[in-house]
Amino acid sequence: MKKIFSLFVLAMMVLVLAACGGGNDEASEGSASEGEGSGETKTIRAGIGLNDSHPQYLALLEWKKIVEEKTDGAIKVETYHSSQLGDDRAMTEALQLGSQEVTIPSTAPIANFVPEYSVFDFPFLFPNEQVADKVLDGEVGQKFLDKLEDQNLVGLAYWENGFRDVTNSERAIESASDFEGLKLRTMENDLHLDAFKALGANPTPMAFGELFTAMQQGTVDGQENPIPTIYLQGFYEVQDYVSTTHHIYSPFVFLMSKEFFDGLTEEQQTIVTEAAVEAGALNRELNREAVAEYADELKAEGMNYNEVSPEARAEMVKIVQPVLDEYAEKIGKETVQEVYDAVAEAEAELAE
Ligand code: TK8
């Protein structure tokens, strides 16, 4: 009797091992949307707007690797770049509807869902990346991530797009008056639109995926984005001038569909969240390393590159100040003040 029982146990073990092996194979081949036995394989479609050479995509691949390893294949991640699944706004909407699971937009389009997010796009809010890290990874940053829940979104971490610089095909931006009449593409965000209007430019909001063609065809004269994007998306092919306005530090927010997040086990929720923080650190590191190198590459490609003076920046702030006051009123003065206080506090801490 005992012997029969042992044989039975042995047979069961063989069966279980075979089943596990089969499940894993299927997951790694990418064909399994439904698992067997112990649970389903959950598939995440993660889409971004930038191309596959950008630090954002390299970090997304890192996130995929960590998540797939730590969940033993129970979660499978499919990655899409270059707006293959849509632009920032459309992908964020897809997350709300539950038809896509992950996207990592800039904060500017997120303001269409949670207006307070515009505060991160106040020009010259963050003096440098280290202060941005402290504020975003601290209490205030978390408060903003929590605001996403009402919109059926979960914010797992802040990543980095970076300080934005202006490119165009007309002239070097050396002072605020150089914006006059420039047809500038902006992100889909009212604050961006109004600030560039105040500077005398002629701004048009447009999805990132349409931007290259718009510059090529002359529908717009220019745009603004961080140096890694300007280089890696080949903007130097259709733009002559790059000016280091550094007018806004654009954070990225790693977003997950709330419906999908809620369907994960607690352990899986921890894994995807910690992985977003870990891969985000890689994104920031690669991005920062890239800036100096790509600035040189842009010059090598023949772009006219000019550093914008602190005086010219101060002049720009003065011009856009009424727009900022108006938005502070709209968003809530306390919320805006809270962010500026956190910036001051982070600066003081870093100076110690
Ligand atoms: C990419 C965008 C982009 C942003 C923009 O999806 O639209 O200009 O800076 O990089 O998030």
Side-chain angles (χ1 to χ4, degrees), residues 110-132:
I110 296 179
N112 293 302
F113 303 89
V114 182
E116 284 107 313
Y117 267 79
S118 268
V119 67
F120 292 132
D121 288 71
F122 273 36
F124 309 103
L125 166 70
F126 293 118
N128 56 51
E129 290 97 344
Q130 289 68 33
V131 169

Side-chain angles (χ1 to χ4, degrees), residues 121-123 191 195 317 320-329 336 340:
D121 288 71
F122 273 36
L191 168 62
V317 188
V320 298
Q321 194 56 50
V323 177
L324 300 185
D325 293 344
E326 185 194 322
Y327 277 80
E329 202 77 54
V336 173
Y340 274 91

Side-chain angles (χ1 to χ4, degrees), residues 47-51 54 56 82-83 86-89 91 103-109 161-162 164 185-188 192 206-209 211 223-226 229 233 235 250-252:
I48 60 165
L50 294 161
N51 69 22
H54 195 281
Q56 189 191 30
S82 307
S83 308
D87 59 57
D88 282 354
R89 192 169 173 164
M91 287 192 285
T103 189
I104 319 173
S106 300
T107 45
N161 194 352
R164 306 180 77 88
R185 173 268 178 178
T186 70
M187 289 188 280
E188 295 172 278
H192 279 250
M206 188 183 289
F208 183 75
L211 176 55
Q223 63 87 44
E224 40 86 56
N225 252 299
T229 298
Q233 299 281 150
F235 289 177
S250 259
F252 280 136

Side-chain angles (χ1 to χ4, degrees), residues 105-226:
S106 300
T107 45
I110 296 179
N112 293 302
F113 303 89
V114 182
E116 284 107 313
Y117 267 79
S118 268
V119 67
F120 292 132
D121 288 71
F122 273 36
F124 309 103
L125 166 70
F126 293 118
N128 56 51
E129 290 97 344
Q130 289 68 33
V131 169
D133 289 354
K134 258 192 179 301
V135 174
L136 297 170
D137 299 345
E139 227 175 278
V140 165
Q142 185 57 48
K143 247 189 176 175
F144 274 80
L145 294 184
D146 295 344
K147 292 180 201 283
L148 294 161
E149 294 232 355
D150 286 348
Q151 288 293 317
N152 261 334
L153 301 165
V154 180
L156 300 189
Y158 291 95
W159 285 21
E160 173 174 286
N161 194 352
F163 282 103
R164 306 180 77 88
D165 293 327
V166 177
T167 69
N168 76 93
S169 55
E170 296 293 313
R171 64 188 90 102
I173 305 291
E174 281 165 344
S175 71
S177 60
D178 292 318
F179 280 105
E180 193 59 49
L182 218 54
K183 282 185 279 169
L184 212 60
R185 173 268 178 178
T186 70
M187 289 188 280
E188 295 172 278
N189 173 291
D190 290 342
L191 168 62
H192 279 250
L193 196 64
D194 290 344
F196 284 111
K197 267 187 202 157
L199 285 164
N202 187 359
T204 320
M206 188 183 289
F208 183 75
E210 290 160 28
L211 176 55
F212 189 91
T213 310
M215 291 188 291
Q216 195 171 37
Q217 296 180 343
T219 319
V220 295
D221 301 320
Q223 63 87 44
E224 40 86 56
N225 252 299

